[in-house]
Amino acid sequence: MALSHSIILLSICSLLGACVAMSSSHHGIHGHHGHHARRHGVHRHRAIQGRNDTLGWLSGSATFYGLPTASGPLDNGGACGFKNINLPPFNSLTSCGSKALFKGGKGCGSCYLVKCTSHPLCSGQTKLITITDECLYGGCADATYHFDMSGIAFGSLALPGKELPLHSAGKLAILFKRVPCDYKGHNVAFHIEAGSNPAYLAFLIEYQNGEGDLSNVELKEASSATWVPLKQSWGKIWRLDSSHPLQGPFSVRLTTLSGKSLVVNNAIPADWKPKKVYESNVNFKI
């Protein structure tokens, strides 16, 4: 009865967007997010700093936000700009990242293996989690490496059948490590943002294998040999404000934080349309 009562309270708190500690053993669970989710209460916790262990893992911490059985933000997106994170390839296994993980939006799309062995309800099995949102306050404010996960992602760390009870544990100590992203069956794709026009082009970059992050994006028009740098609008959405009508098809050059580059020739056709997705035939090597 006590456990069911705790879960009901957690659900109510998630709907209200803020929750206080239910008892001395059930700490506040919500972080605070940047672009999309500025609605959660701020809770102070003991810092859990990242450190290397002998197996190459780092230690960090994890909480969840939204409903325990939901994908996280109500708009099904986040500060990285990804769409439909409840669907493949994300399948709701996503997380907001603290400053060291989000990296001002350049860490969007980074992939991590995460496991929990610190609680009796944790399975110890690894789960692949992708950074799709930003976390600024709450657990993220006092930990270098903090994952504020979707309710589904947080529950995936539990023993089978113990997903909901684990949500009552509050803040968990976890182990994590960066791994290459592998979007099997997909190549790099460009989702043209609403509002794009011949003098303004903005797109979301999806399905990026390997490191998953980006430091620079450049575009080359069909009639030019010059690579023009784009500006990061927010998250993984990059834009070009042009003084002349842009002429496609457009080639795009992507550069990761480590300096690896990928040229996508004729990535976006001349007759492109806003809200359309154009998937290429290339990707970063893993």
Side-chain angles (χ1 to χ4, degrees):
M1 180 65 72
L3 182 57
S4 298
H5 182 62
S6 297
I7 294 171
I8 292 171
L9 282 176
L10 283 168
S11 299
I12 293 172
C13 294
S14 298
L15 288 169
L16 292 176
C19 191
V20 296
M22 291 183 294
S23 71
S24 59
S25 60
H26 294 127
H27 301 293
I29 59 174
H30 296 291
H32 197 93
H33 316 289
H35 187 82
H36 280 270
R38 304 180 186 277
R39 58 188 181 274
H40 299 302
V42 178
H43 304 286
R44 298 298 179 187
H45 303 275
R46 180 180 60 85
I48 303 178
Q49 299 297 328
R51 64 179 185 275
N52 283 305
D53 71 7
T54 56
L55 297 178
W57 292 78
L58 290 170
S59 63
S61 54
T63 50
F64 79 96
Y65 72 113
L67 295 173
T69 56
S71 300
L74 297 177
D75 61 2
N76 204 19
C80 290
F82 292 117
K83 277 80 169 164
N84 301 317
I85 59 174
N86 62 312
L87 301 176
F90 297 119
N91 295 312
S92 303
L93 296 178
T94 60
S95 180
C96 303
S98 58
K99 184 178 180 179
L101 300 171
F102 186 72
K103 301 175 184 175
K106 290 181 169 61
C108 288
S110 300
C111 297
Y112 294 88
L113 286 180
V114 177
K115 63 181 178 179
C116 170
T117 59
S118 63
H119 191 280
L121 297 180
C122 289
S123 69
Q125 300 299 307
T126 58
K127 294 294 178 179
L128 182 66
I129 305 294
T130 306
I131 298 297
T132 59
D133 207 343
E134 181 179 21
C135 183
L136 294 173
Y137 307 111
C140 297
D142 58 5
T144 301
Y145 300 111
H146 185 80
F147 294 78
D148 198 25
M149 301 179 177
S150 72
I152 290 176
F154 190 89
S156 74
L157 302 177
L159 291 166
K162 301 298 182 181
E163 293 85 359
L164 288 179
L166 184 63
H167 287 85
S168 299
K171 188 175 184 179
L172 292 174
I174 60 166
L175 294 173
F176 73 97
K177 65 179 175 180
R178 182 86 174 269
V179 294
C181 301
D182 184 5
Y183 294 104
K184 289 181 173 62
H186 286 286
N187 284 312
V188 173
F190 303 88
H191 186 130
I192 309 300
E193 292 295 299
S196 293
N197 58 65
Y200 169 79
L201 179 63
F203 49 78
L204 166 71
I205 299 161
E206 300 179 294
Y207 310 134
Q208 180 191 340
N209 278 349
E211 296 168 26
D213 56 28
L214 287 171
S215 64
N216 293 290
V217 177
E218 299 160 285
L219 181 140
K220 184 171 66 173
E221 296 181 67
S223 58
S224 174
T226 302
W227 288 102
V228 179
L230 275 66
K231 294 181 180 179
Q232 184 186 19
S233 282
W234 52 278
K236 210 152 186 177
I237 295 175
W238 294 72
R239 76 177 191 275
L240 177 61
D241 300 286
S242 178
S243 59
H244 66 274
L246 296 167
Q247 297 182 348
F250 307 115
S251 295
V252 180
R253 183 161 64 190
L254 308 174
T255 304
T256 66
L257 289 173
S258 71
K260 296 178 181 177
S261 291
L262 176 74
V263 174
V264 186
N265 290 313
N266 301 320
I268 301 170
D271 60 347
W272 60 269
K273 298 287 190 299
K275 299 184 180 181
K276 294 290 186 180
V277 179
Y278 301 100
E279 187 164 348
S280 71
N281 59 2
V282 295
N283 213 326
F284 284 91
K285 292 183 179 180
I286 300 175

